[in-house]
Each structure stands twice: as structure tokens, then as C-alpha cells.
Amino acid sequence: MSTIIIIDSVEEESAVEEILDSIVTAGETVYFLRLSSARGLGPLIQAINPMLNYGVEYTIDCLPENYDASDLAAFAVEVDASRICIGISERTLTGKARIDDATQSILLHDGISGDLVVGEDAIILEELEYGQ
Amino acid sequence: MLRIEFQLGMAGIPSRLLETGEAVESIEIDNAMPVANSAVFLFLTVRTDSEVTEDSLAMELPGLEIIDMSQAEVSSHTYYLGVIADSTDVTVFGLLTENRAIPHRIVGKNSQLEVVASVRDWNHLKEVASAVEEEYGSLELLGTTQTNRIGFPLGSNKIKQSMSGKLSDEQLEVLETAYQMGYFKVPQEVTAEEIAAELDISRSTLSERLRRVQHNFCKLLFGPQE
């Protein structure tokens, strides 16, 4: 099992913690995928310390500035990700998890399907299957 | 089940109403019931920034039969309309129900239609989004949440409608802000001072408006005081 965690802000510590706490199990590989809007994940990773605190292997990758959902789908296929997790950085007036352009492009992408779960601090796409 | 919130370009009856010269600020579809000959019975809440008459609206909306029009008791620029329109005037409603999504809220304002609907799961979300994009060209997802309850479909809005007509805009604003900030939760998530600061009003004004809201709720429930 492997999990992609999309980070679009370095202030998503609680989302990453929720994902590592309740979604990911020890021994899995986690791919932190940084959007260009999130500068330098060093302090965030340092604070969370995924290997020591959660027993997971991890890598940090970066999506190009003008990436589209196909780039992400290609990355997910390449690493055979079983989950994609997106931190909830904002909520609508009615309390729903705010969906930004990046999240919308993933949710509506034809090539990725599975289950969508909305957690306290993260949107989790799991049981992923990849199409064309 | 997922509750989704999205917006798309204005179309149908909200668009026609906003294009009238009547300074319409927003239109909410409260209910829609199909009738014969691909017509639909629509119940609308229309907010304007000035007085509007049934005749002036009817003049500007040929082909639309206004069955009933009434004015909210406190918010004088809020009107409740019952009209018979063509089903193409509420395409988004038709698209949602044809695709077995449950529409909860359809509001037209600021050149956009804002929609809240329930879908079964991620695949269903894609199906509905695809149908909407095919008809409207594009849609913007705004938010989502997970729920176990089906919620109130469009048309189960009567309590809200009854109440909102009895509260002033200021009272509604105070009530909504207090609710959204968690004032009514146990334990309270916010103090009265924080709400007053958010609304830029004094603590005593906040207190007065909230008491008037409570009074109006009680009046509606129990009738006038003896």
C-alpha cells in the first residue's frame, strides 16, 4: 500500500497528522507531493517526523507549476498509489471542505476512480483504480 | 453519501429574472413540481433592492405565468413567487433529478447559479458533474462534505421560508453569524463579544437582536402573547 499526500500549504500539519494517524499504517510508503504553492516542506516534515513517529517510509516530490490532473494521475500510476489524500485548508460558509481547482481536477479526472471520504482535516481518495 | 456545493453560469429562470429591469439581487428555487406539457410549477424566493409589483414582473417575463406573489413580512424586498414555467427554465434542477442527485438548494446571484446537492459517491459525483458540464460548459466545485443523512430536498424549505419572512435582514445576519461561529453549540465555541466584534456591533445590540429573534420564534410557535 502506498499513499500520496498532496500538500498545497505548509500549514497543513493537522491534515498530515490525521492521515498518518488514522489512514496510513506503519510500513507503508508515503509520497508527499508538494504543489508549487507550498514552499519548502522541511519544517513540516521535521515537525511530523513520519519515520520515527509513524514508521512509514517517505519521499518528497514536487508537481510542476502548471500541472494538470493527468500529471498527478501519471504519478499515482507510477507509484501505484492506493490512496490520494488532500488536506482541507479552508471550509465554505456552510462548513463543507473547500474544493480548489487542483482538487476539482483530480475529483473529475476520468482516469482515477475509487471511494471518496471527507475527514476532519483531509479529503481521502481510496481504493483507487486507474483507467486510461 | 456526499453533499456537494458547486456553481455554474447563470441560466434559466434565475437568469431571466436577473435580466429584468427590476434590480433583482438573488433568486432561490424553493420547489419545482412538473405539470402537464413539459411545464413546471416553480416556487421562488426573489430578493430585490427596491419595490417590485406583480404587473411589472409579468410585463418583463413573457411566457411566464405568475400564479401568486407575496411579500415577506419584515424583509420588504423579499418576494415569494409561484409561477408556471417551461421545464427548460430549470434545466439544472432537471439534470440533477434525471441523474438521481438530490437538489437541496439552487440560488442565482452575482451572475452565478449556486447549487447544493447530494450524490451517492465519487463516481456519482463525476456522472452528475459530467452531465452539468455537458449542458453548461463548465462547473466549479466549491465544497463537499460526507453525510449519512439524505437531508432536506428542495421544497422542504417551508420552515426556513416562514421564519426568514418574519426576521429582518439584521436579525438574520446576527442569527446566521452566531450559528456559523458555534454560539449555539454546547459548549459554546464563541463568546457574544466575539460575535459582536465580527459584526462590528455592540454587545447590547447583538443581545437585543438575538432576543428579538427568539421572541419571533416563540411567536410563530405559540402565537401572540396573551
Side-chain angles (χ1 to χ4, degrees):
Chain A
M1 296 278 268
S2 60
T3 299
I4 294 173
I5 301 179
I6 297 176
I7 309 278
D8 69 354
S9 160
V10 290
E11 285 156 16
E12 291 188 346
E13 196 174 320
S14 60
V16 175
E17 282 174 345
E18 178 189 330
I19 294 160
L20 294 177
D21 257 338
S22 54
I23 309 294
V24 175
T25 53
E28 286 188 26
T29 304
V30 173
Y31 298 89
F32 289 100
L33 200 48
R34 177 171 75 82
L35 301 186
S36 54
S37 51
R39 302 271 171 219
L41 293 191
L44 174 69
I45 300 295
Q46 222 170 3
I48 291 167
N49 206 336
M51 280 182 91
L52 196 66
N53 291 333
Y54 299 95
V56 296
E57 298 281 335
Y58 70 92
T59 67
I60 300 174
D61 296 87
C62 184
L63 277 170
E65 192 157 345
N66 295 317
Y67 89 99
D68 63 26
S70 303
D71 297 322
L72 175 65
F75 182 83
V77 170
E78 188 185 316
V79 302
D80 193 23
S82 42
R83 299 184 202 96
I84 297 175
C85 302
I86 306 155
I88 298 169
S89 49
E90 206 185 331
R91 289 189 178 269
T92 66
L93 279 175
T94 53
K96 297 179 181 66
R98 171 82 65 191
I99 296 177
D100 58 14
D101 291 347
T103 308
Q104 170 164 341
S105 65
I106 298 162
L107 291 181
L108 301 187
H109 192 275
D110 286 338
I112 314 174
S113 59
D115 290 339
L116 191 166
V117 178
V118 186
E120 277 292 309
D121 292 303
I123 293 173
I124 300 124
L125 310 176
E126 56 188 13
E127 308 283 333
L128 291 182
E129 290 178 13
Y130 301 101
Q132 293 300 309
Chain B
M1 179 165 270
L2 298 169
R3 197 94 80 224
I4 53 166
E5 193 174 331
F6 62 90
Q7 66 180 22
L8 55 153
M10 188 71 85
I13 196 155
S15 171
R16 290 179 64 191
L17 274 163
L18 280 169
E19 281 166 9
T20 66
E22 300 292 349
V24 173
E25 289 179 342
S26 71
I27 303 106
E28 178 160 2
I29 300 177
D30 295 322
N31 204 346
M33 292 188 299
V35 291
N37 303 323
S38 65
V40 62
F41 207 154
L42 289 178
F43 297 87
L44 309 169
T45 298
V46 178
R47 292 192 169 84
T48 64
D49 64 8
S50 58
E51 197 91 359
V52 172
T53 66
E54 187 174 331
D55 288 345
S56 64
L57 268 185
M59 289 258 294
E60 297 216 41
L61 296 166
L64 197 75
E65 192 181 343
I66 300 177
I67 304 295
D68 181 53
M69 180 166 163
S70 59
Q71 200 167 8
E73 284 181 26
V74 174
S75 307
S76 60
H77 295 156
T78 298
Y79 299 88
Y80 303 120
L81 263 71
V83 303
I84 291 183
D86 192 81
S87 59
T88 53
D89 274 322
V90 278
T91 325
V92 68
F93 173 80
L95 277 175
L96 291 170
T97 51
E98 279 165 26
N99 285 280
R100 299 183 178 200
I102 300 164
H104 298 290
R105 192 152 191 254
I106 302 174
V107 181
K109 62 180 177 184
N110 303 328
S111 312
Q112 298 282 335
L113 270 183
E114 291 177 10
V115 181
V116 177
S118 287
V119 294
R120 284 191 308 278
D121 52 25
W122 186 9
N123 277 336
H124 193 198
L125 164 62
K126 285 184 181 188
E127 283 169 28
V128 171
S130 169
V132 172
E133 280 183 324
E134 202 171 303
E135 180 70 29
Y136 288 87
S138 66
L139 95 164
E140 185 186 356
L141 289 175
L142 298 175
T144 185
T145 191
Q146 196 132 25
T147 177
N148 294 323
R149 290 172 299 147
I150 201 164
F152 294 109
L154 208 63
S156 300
N157 218 7
K158 288 190 175 57
I159 294 174
K160 186 179 154 196
Q161 184 172 306
S162 310
M163 278 318 299
S164 62
K166 302 205 181 305
L167 302 176
S168 70
D169 290 344
E170 287 84 9
Q171 290 166 3
L172 276 173
E173 186 188 23
V174 162
L175 187 65
E176 186 173 10
T177 306
Y179 173 68
Q180 295 295 352
M181 291 177 76
Y183 184 68
F184 300 114
K185 283 197 170 174
V186 180
Q188 279 183 337
E189 292 177 351
V190 68
T191 64
E193 284 75 16
E194 285 169 315
I195 301 169
E198 174 73 21
L199 292 166
D200 201 20
I201 57 176
S202 68
R203 170 77 174 74
S204 59
T205 304
L206 174 85
S207 172
E208 180 200 317
R209 287 184 190 167
L210 277 178
R211 275 208 315 278
R212 286 188 191 281
V213 168
Q214 288 168 327
H215 178 82
N216 285 338
F217 270 127
C218 292
K219 197 172 156 189
L220 189 76
L221 277 174
F222 308 117
Q225 273 177 307
E226 289 174 8

Coordinates of all heavy atoms in Angstrom, one line a residue, chain A residues 92-94 96-99 104 107-109 112-118 125 128, chain B residues 2-5 116 122-123 125-126 129 133 139-146 180:
Chain A
T92 N -16.2 26.1 3.3 CA -17.2 27.0 2.8 C -18.0 27.6 4.0 O -17.9 27.1 5.1 CB -18.1 26.3 1.8 OG1 -18.9 25.4 2.5 CG2 -17.4 25.7 0.7
L93 N -18.8 28.5 3.8 CA -19.7 29.1 4.8 C -20.6 28.1 5.5 O -20.9 28.2 6.6 CB -20.6 30.2 4.2 CG -19.9 31.6 4.1 CD1 -20.8 32.5 3.4 CD2 -19.4 32.2 5.4
T94 N -20.9 27.1 4.7 CA -21.8 26.0 5.3 C -21.0 24.9 5.8 O -21.6 23.8 6.2 CB -22.8 25.5 4.2 OG1 -22.0 25.1 3.0 CG2 -23.8 26.5 3.8
K96 N -18.6 23.0 4.5 CA -18.0 21.9 3.6 C -16.6 22.2 3.3 O -16.1 23.3 3.3 CB -18.8 21.9 2.3 CG -20.3 21.6 2.5 CD -21.0 21.6 1.2 CE -22.5 21.3 1.4 NZ -23.2 22.3 2.2
A97 N -15.9 21.1 3.1 CA -14.4 21.2 2.8 C -14.3 21.9 1.4 O -14.9 21.5 0.4 CB -13.8 19.8 2.6
R98 N -13.6 23.0 1.4 CA -13.4 23.8 0.2 C -12.7 23.0 -0.9 O -11.6 22.4 -0.6 CB -12.7 25.1 0.6 CG -12.3 25.9 -0.6 CD -13.4 26.8 -1.1 NE -13.8 27.8 -0.2 CZ -14.9 28.6 -0.4 NH1 -15.6 28.4 -1.4 NH2 -15.2 29.5 0.5
I99 N -13.2 23.0 -2.1 CA -12.5 22.3 -3.2 C -11.9 23.3 -4.0 O -12.6 24.2 -4.6 CB -13.6 21.5 -4.0 CG1 -14.2 20.4 -3.1 CG2 -12.9 20.9 -5.2 CD1 -15.3 19.6 -3.8
Q104 N -10.5 19.8 -7.6 CA -11.6 19.6 -8.6 C -11.0 18.7 -9.8 O -11.7 17.8 -10.3 CB -12.2 20.9 -9.1 CG -13.1 20.7 -10.3 CD -14.0 21.8 -10.6 OE1 -14.2 22.7 -9.8 NE2 -14.5 21.9 -11.9
L107 N -10.8 15.2 -8.7 CA -12.0 14.5 -8.5 C -12.8 14.2 -9.8 O -13.5 13.2 -9.9 CB -12.9 15.4 -7.6 CG -12.5 15.6 -6.1 CD1 -13.5 16.5 -5.4 CD2 -12.5 14.3 -5.4
L108 N -12.6 15.1 -10.8 CA -13.4 14.9 -12.0 C -12.5 14.2 -13.1 O -13.0 14.1 -14.2 CB -13.9 16.3 -12.5 CG -14.9 17.0 -11.5 CD1 -15.5 18.2 -12.2 CD2 -16.0 16.1 -11.0
H109 N -11.3 13.8 -12.8 CA -10.5 13.2 -13.8 C -11.0 11.8 -14.1 O -11.4 11.0 -13.3 CB -9.0 13.0 -13.2 CG -8.0 12.7 -14.2 ND1 -7.8 11.4 -14.6 CD2 -7.2 13.4 -15.0 CE1 -6.9 11.3 -15.6 NE2 -6.5 12.6 -15.8
I112 N -9.1 8.3 -12.9 CA -8.9 7.9 -11.4 C -10.3 7.7 -10.9 O -11.2 8.6 -11.0 CB -8.2 8.9 -10.6 CG1 -6.9 9.4 -11.3 CG2 -7.8 8.3 -9.2 CD1 -6.2 10.6 -10.5
S113 N -10.5 6.6 -10.2 CA -11.8 6.4 -9.5 C -11.6 5.6 -8.2 O -10.5 5.1 -8.0 CB -12.8 5.7 -10.4 OG -12.3 4.4 -10.8
G114 N -12.6 5.5 -7.4 CA -12.5 4.8 -6.1 C -13.5 5.4 -5.2 O -14.6 5.8 -5.5
D115 N -13.1 5.4 -3.9 CA -14.0 5.9 -2.8 C -13.5 7.3 -2.4 O -12.3 7.5 -2.3 CB -14.0 5.0 -1.6 CG -14.8 3.7 -2.0 OD1 -15.5 3.7 -2.9 OD2 -14.5 2.7 -1.3
L116 N -14.5 8.1 -2.1 CA -14.1 9.5 -1.6 C -14.6 9.6 -0.2 O -15.8 9.4 0.1 CB -14.8 10.5 -2.5 CG -14.4 12.0 -2.3 CD1 -14.9 12.8 -3.5 CD2 -14.9 12.6 -1.1
V117 N -13.7 9.9 0.7 CA -14.1 10.1 2.1 C -13.7 11.5 2.6 O -12.5 11.9 2.3 CB -13.4 9.0 3.0 CG1 -13.7 9.2 4.5 CG2 -13.8 7.6 2.6
V118 N -14.6 12.2 3.2 CA -14.2 13.5 3.7 C -14.0 13.4 5.2 O -14.9 13.1 6.0 CB -15.3 14.5 3.4 CG1 -14.9 15.9 3.8 CG2 -15.7 14.5 1.9
L125 N -9.0 9.9 -1.0 CA -9.5 9.1 -2.2 C -8.8 7.8 -2.0 O -7.6 7.7 -2.1 CB -9.1 9.8 -3.5 CG -9.4 11.3 -3.6 CD1 -8.9 11.9 -4.9 CD2 -10.9 11.5 -3.6
L128 N -8.2 3.1 -4.9 CA -8.1 3.8 -6.2 C -7.9 2.7 -7.4 O -7.3 1.7 -7.2 CB -6.8 4.7 -6.3 CG -6.9 5.9 -5.4 CD1 -5.7 6.8 -5.5 CD2 -8.1 6.8 -5.8
Chain B
L2 N -22.4 12.0 -0.4 CA -21.7 13.2 -0.4 C -22.6 14.4 -0.6 O -23.4 14.3 -1.5 CB -20.6 13.2 -1.5 CG -19.5 12.1 -1.4 CD1 -18.7 12.1 -2.7 CD2 -18.6 12.4 -0.2
R3 N -22.4 15.4 0.1 CA -23.1 16.7 -0.1 C -22.1 17.6 -0.9 O -21.0 17.8 -0.4 CB -23.5 17.3 1.2 CG -24.6 18.4 1.0 CD -26.0 17.8 1.2 NE -26.4 17.7 2.6 CZ -27.0 16.7 3.1 NH1 -27.3 15.6 2.3 NH2 -27.3 16.6 4.4
I4 N -22.5 18.0 -2.1 CA -21.6 18.9 -2.8 C -22.2 20.2 -3.1 O -23.4 20.4 -3.1 CB -21.2 18.2 -4.2 CG1 -22.5 17.9 -5.0 CG2 -20.4 17.0 -4.0 CD1 -22.2 17.5 -6.4
E5 N -21.3 21.2 -3.2 CA -21.7 22.6 -3.4 C -20.9 23.0 -4.7 O -19.7 22.8 -4.8 CB -21.3 23.4 -2.2 CG -21.9 24.8 -2.2 CD -21.5 25.4 -0.8 OE1 -21.3 24.7 0.2 OE2 -21.4 26.7 -0.8
V116 N -26.5 23.3 -4.2 CA -26.1 22.3 -3.2 C -26.9 21.0 -3.5 O -28.2 21.1 -3.6 CB -26.4 22.7 -1.7 CG1 -26.0 21.6 -0.8 CG2 -25.6 24.0 -1.4
W122 N -18.3 9.1 -5.1 CA -17.4 9.8 -6.0 C -17.8 9.6 -7.5 O -17.8 10.5 -8.3 CB -15.9 9.3 -5.8 CG -14.9 10.0 -6.5 CD1 -15.0 11.1 -7.3 CD2 -13.5 9.6 -6.6 NE1 -13.8 11.5 -7.8 CE2 -12.8 10.6 -7.4 CE3 -12.8 8.6 -6.0 CZ2 -11.5 10.5 -7.7 CZ3 -11.4 8.5 -6.3 CH2 -10.8 9.5 -7.1
N123 N -18.1 8.3 -7.9 CA -18.5 8.0 -9.3 C -19.8 8.8 -9.6 O -19.9 9.3 -10.7 CB -18.7 6.5 -9.5 CG -17.4 5.8 -9.7 OD1 -16.4 6.5 -10.2 ND2 -17.3 4.6 -9.4
L125 N -20.7 11.6 -8.3 CA -20.3 13.0 -8.4 C -19.8 13.2 -9.8 O -20.2 14.2 -10.5 CB -19.3 13.3 -7.4 CG -18.4 14.6 -7.6 CD1 -19.3 15.8 -7.6 CD2 -17.3 14.7 -6.5
K126 N -19.0 12.3 -10.3 CA -18.5 12.5 -11.7 C -19.6 12.5 -12.7 O -19.5 13.3 -13.7 CB -17.5 11.4 -12.0 CG -16.1 11.5 -11.3 CD -15.2 10.4 -11.8 CE -13.9 10.5 -11.1 NZ -13.0 9.5 -11.7
A129 N -21.5 15.8 -12.5 CA -20.6 16.9 -12.9 C -20.5 16.8 -14.5 O -20.6 17.9 -15.1 CB -19.3 16.8 -12.3
E133 N -21.7 19.7 -16.9 CA -20.7 20.3 -17.8 C -21.1 20.2 -19.3 O -20.9 21.2 -20.1 CB -19.3 19.7 -17.6 CG -18.6 20.2 -16.4 CD -17.2 19.5 -16.2 OE1 -17.0 18.3 -16.6 OE2 -16.3 20.2 -15.8
L139 N -18.4 23.7 -14.7 CA -18.9 23.9 -13.4 C -17.7 24.1 -12.4 O -16.7 23.6 -12.8 CB -19.9 22.8 -12.9 CG -19.3 21.7 -12.1 CD1 -20.5 20.9 -11.4 CD2 -18.5 20.7 -12.9
E140 N -18.0 24.8 -11.3 CA -16.9 24.9 -10.4 C -17.3 24.3 -9.1 O -18.3 24.7 -8.5 CB -16.6 26.4 -10.1 CG -15.4 26.6 -9.2 CD -15.1 28.0 -8.9 OE1 -15.8 28.9 -9.4 OE2 -14.2 28.3 -8.0
L141 N -16.6 23.2 -8.7 CA -16.9 22.6 -7.4 C -16.4 23.6 -6.3 O -15.3 24.1 -6.3 CB -16.2 21.3 -7.2 CG -16.7 20.1 -8.1 CD1 -15.8 18.9 -7.9 CD2 -18.1 19.8 -7.8
L142 N -17.3 23.8 -5.3 CA -16.9 24.7 -4.2 C -16.6 24.0 -2.9 O -15.7 24.4 -2.2 CB -18.0 25.7 -3.9 CG -18.5 26.6 -5.1 CD1 -19.7 27.4 -4.7 CD2 -17.3 27.5 -5.4
G143 N -17.3 22.9 -2.6 CA -17.1 22.2 -1.4 C -17.8 20.9 -1.3 O -18.7 20.6 -2.1
T144 N -17.4 20.1 -0.4 CA -18.0 18.8 -0.2 C -18.0 18.4 1.3 O -17.1 18.8 2.0 CB -17.4 17.7 -1.1 OG1 -18.1 16.5 -0.9 CG2 -16.0 17.4 -0.7
T145 N -18.9 17.6 1.7 CA -18.9 17.0 3.0 C -19.5 15.6 2.9 O -20.2 15.4 2.0 CB -19.6 17.9 4.0 OG1 -19.3 17.5 5.3 CG2 -21.1 17.9 3.9
Q146 N -19.2 14.8 3.9 CA -19.8 13.5 3.9 C -21.0 13.5 4.9 O -20.9 14.1 5.9 CB -18.7 12.5 4.4 CG -19.0 11.1 4.2 CD -17.8 10.4 3.6 OE1 -16.7 10.8 3.8 NE2 -18.1 9.3 2.8
Q180 N -23.1 30.0 12.7 CA -21.9 29.6 12.0 C -20.7 29.6 12.9 O -19.8 28.8 12.7 CB -21.7 30.4 10.7 CG -22.7 30.3 9.6 CD -22.9 28.9 9.0 OE1 -22.0 28.1 9.3 NE2 -23.9 28.7 8.2

